[in-house]
């Protein structure tokens, strides 16, 4: 096994084999029955939406089209398939078909970002039967996931309103590094403002976004003596970055910051709350720090945003991770 | 934007930037405060488990270690970070630290496959503070997801028993191609027998597994005239592959197959049910085809396996997709 195999890393040249076995066995059967070149079509659509969902936002078409353009089988891939022993009785013509494979069909799709509804196709493939069969798995993979994330992001934007900042913080909870990049793409396309994923932001030509973690407060205050030292230290290098204020005692931290701001000893643009009663805490922070942007994080989703709004929380922005990137409806 | 960026494909050399922005800003702050080289430690553990879960199966350590071995920043990556403008006030020493970065810490972890419980660490990092901070995001990413999937797979194995076949069919529903590969790895490690993902199986040195889809029955019967023609056609090339029997009328298909088997006109090793009342249908198929392996699929998870067992379904194996790879508890 090569090092690349050990890492299970993927390059787009691998993707033709990123398919369910039955797509290949069925294609071999079509070749044997001499119907592999018949024109076929299939459509991707959702039969029904999760409870409370009114629409889906179509996403993932760019990656789908890249895949179709690159659709080839190398001789190594063909040999690897042969070596499984599964295709012993498959017709010989199947192997020559794979060796010369490219996607020659047509793709009809709604543009990425289109709102669609149950039973309405996102994408339609018209292609020789064997091709339509083989590409199905990958197309579902890219379009299912990105559509799910773009939809969740759009729902959060709908409920949060246009003036609320929505930051994608899900990388650590995403389902693999590649999923974190695709989630960032779909979340930004679905209406979120920024991602904390540095690599995703750079690849997408965006500026990454973030605050600070409890670890910094604990590390600096352990050495320099207090939470305030941690705030000062972070502001020394990142003067406009929001401060995380719930490490020890949220209200004590808020009062201290309010005093420093009032005395002109500190500029403060934002704070983040990551625990506790977000309604009550955010209201109290607003009174003490009326000019400061208040971010909230911690298992936020569109339902939680709606609840916080109903209960008059004073929150200007959300950092959203787990409930976005794991696609929980 | 290069073609690689357009595809959002990833190579392990990218992974050092697959981190939350705040890990980098905090690291810069540690450098400025001259505490970046202090020894630090952190542990990954779960505070609590999803309802009904009694354990987690630790997984993802192999990818975590590969990442730590490769942890470097290229000059292009450093330049890309500088160009964001976020680090204008960061100390200069931060850039030289990144340029020479490698992971010099220690890793303590339970072996992959270990059952662990709430508040029990899966992994402990001891390293200079700035390194421990930077690597946290990636380590969570790989270990969270693979642990989730291995745990779900182990729960299904626990409930299904050792004699039931469990096949991973989730690629089309997985959260990106890389997630599908990691899901296959974790599912096999967690106790499932095989994956339908051809690329994952080949990378993992396993034989891929599958049956056939409704598309084949519809395509062949449209041309050759009947569902039976489709069964015969598929068996011509894959004589031991299970047949999917619920495309039109499950019991009619079963009766026809039973007759062909009885008359010695057909060998039949397995059938798959993908819809309908799985309890009733599987019992009726068992009576008609007593020697044949019965597979079931369609939103199966450990709870559904338990229900089917309680209600005396006659099912020898399951194809499991959505509820496994999307990690639904």
């Amino acid at each position: 096994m090569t090092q690349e195999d050990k890492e299970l890393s993927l390059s787009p040249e691998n993707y033709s084999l990123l398919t369910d076995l039955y797509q290949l066995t069925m294609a071999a059967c079509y070749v044997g029955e001499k119907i592999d070149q018949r024109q076929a079509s299939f459509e991707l659509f959702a039969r029904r939406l999760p409870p409370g969902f009114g629409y889906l936002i179509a996403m993932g078409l760019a990656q789908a089209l890249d895949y179709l353009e690159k659709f080839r089988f190398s001789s190594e891939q063909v040999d690897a398939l042969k070596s499984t022993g599964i295709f012993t009785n498959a017709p010989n013509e199947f192997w020559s078909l794979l060796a010369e494979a490219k996607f020659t069909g047509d793709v009809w799709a709604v543009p990425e970002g289109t709102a669609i509804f149950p039973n309405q196709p996102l994408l339609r493939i018209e292609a020789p039967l064997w091709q339509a069969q083989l590409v199905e798995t990958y197309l579902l993979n890219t379009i299912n996931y990105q559509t799910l994330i773009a939809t969740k992001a759009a729902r959060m934007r709908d409920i949060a309103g246009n003036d609320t900042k929505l930051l994608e913080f899900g990388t650590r909870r995403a389902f693999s590094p590649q999923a974190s990049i695709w989630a960032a793409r779909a979340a930004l396309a679905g209406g979120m403002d920024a991602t904390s994923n540095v690599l995703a932001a750079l690849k997408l030509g965006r500026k990454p976004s973030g605050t600070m973690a409890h670890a910094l407060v604990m590390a600096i205050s352990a050495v320099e003596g207090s939470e305030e030292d941690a705030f000062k230290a972070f502001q020394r290098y990142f003067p406009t970055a929001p401060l995380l204020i719930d490490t020890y005692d949220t209200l004590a931290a808020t009062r201290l910051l309010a005093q420093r701001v009032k005395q002109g000893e500190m500029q403060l643009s934002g704070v983040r709350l990551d625990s506790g009663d977000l309604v009550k805490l955010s209201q109290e922070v607003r009174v003490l720090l009326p000019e400061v942007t208040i971010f909230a994080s911690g298992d936020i989703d569109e339902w939680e945003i709606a609840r916080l709004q109903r209960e008059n929380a004073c929150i200007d922005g959300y950092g959203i991770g787990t409930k976005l990137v794991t696609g929980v409806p």
Side-chain angles (χ1 to χ4, degrees), chain A residues 87-323:
Chain A
F87 297 87
T88 313
N89 298 316
N92 274 329
E93 296 83 356
F94 174 62
W95 301 114
S96 38
L97 193 73
L98 288 193
E100 291 156 28
K102 61 179 179 173
F103 182 76
T104 60
D106 290 324
V107 181
W108 302 80
V110 300
E112 290 190 295
T114 306
I116 55 138
F117 306 95
N119 298 312
Q120 183 185 350
L122 288 85
L123 178 141
R124 176 183 170 88
I125 294 283
E126 295 183 0
L129 178 56
W130 74 275
Q131 295 176 22
Q133 194 71 67
L134 272 187
V135 302
E136 183 204 30
T137 301
Y138 184 95
L139 295 179
L140 282 165
N141 181 290
T142 173
I143 287 176
N144 281 342
Y145 180 54
Q146 291 198 54
T147 295
L148 172 68
I149 300 303
T151 304
K152 287 283 289 179
R155 286 166 56 81
M156 292 181 200
R157 172 57 69 203
D158 275 355
I159 286 172
N162 287 334
D163 297 333
T164 303
K165 290 273 170 222
L166 294 178
L167 311 177
E168 189 278 301
F169 281 1
T171 300
R172 62 191 55 213
R173 304 293 177 188
F175 288 5
S176 82
Q178 187 181 34
S180 77
I181 303 272
W182 286 20
R185 176 183 190 269
L188 293 169
M192 296 186 69
D193 294 292
T195 176
S196 67
N197 183 319
V198 178
L199 184 59
L202 294 175
K203 277 185 177 286
L204 295 163
R206 306 285 286 249
K207 189 167 171 171
S209 185
T211 62
M212 56 186 276
H214 300 111
L216 181 124
V217 176
M218 291 158 73
I220 303 265
S221 61
V223 176
E224 304 188 3
S226 74
E227 186 178 36
E228 187 182 4
D229 293 324
F231 293 155
K232 282 187 191 163
F234 198 58
Q235 280 210 330
R236 209 163 284 146
Y237 314 103
F238 304 97
T240 62
L243 301 177
L244 175 64
I245 59 174
D246 73 334
T247 305
Y248 303 120
D249 178 334
T250 307
L251 285 181
T254 308
R255 279 191 288 267
L256 180 128
L257 290 171
Q259 200 180 14
R260 295 289 174 271
V261 168
K262 199 176 167 190
Q263 292 166 340
E265 294 165 14
M266 181 189 264
Q267 303 263 323
L268 180 60
S269 63
V271 297
R272 176 161 72 101
L273 301 169
D274 188 52
S275 60
D277 180 339
L278 293 178
V279 173
K280 197 152 164 282
L281 287 173
S282 67
Q283 289 166 343
E284 293 172 319
V285 171
R286 176 68 88 231
V287 170
L288 289 164
L289 292 166
E291 307 291 319
V292 163
T293 304
I294 303 171
F295 291 94
S297 56
D299 276 350
I300 305 288
D301 63 8
E302 62 269 45
W303 310 102
E304 178 67 354
I305 294 173
R307 180 189 74 83
L308 291 166
Q309 287 180 337
R310 268 197 316 276
E311 300 183 11
N312 299 311
C314 299
I315 296 172
D316 307 297
Y318 295 94
I320 297 165
T322 310
K323 295 276 177 83

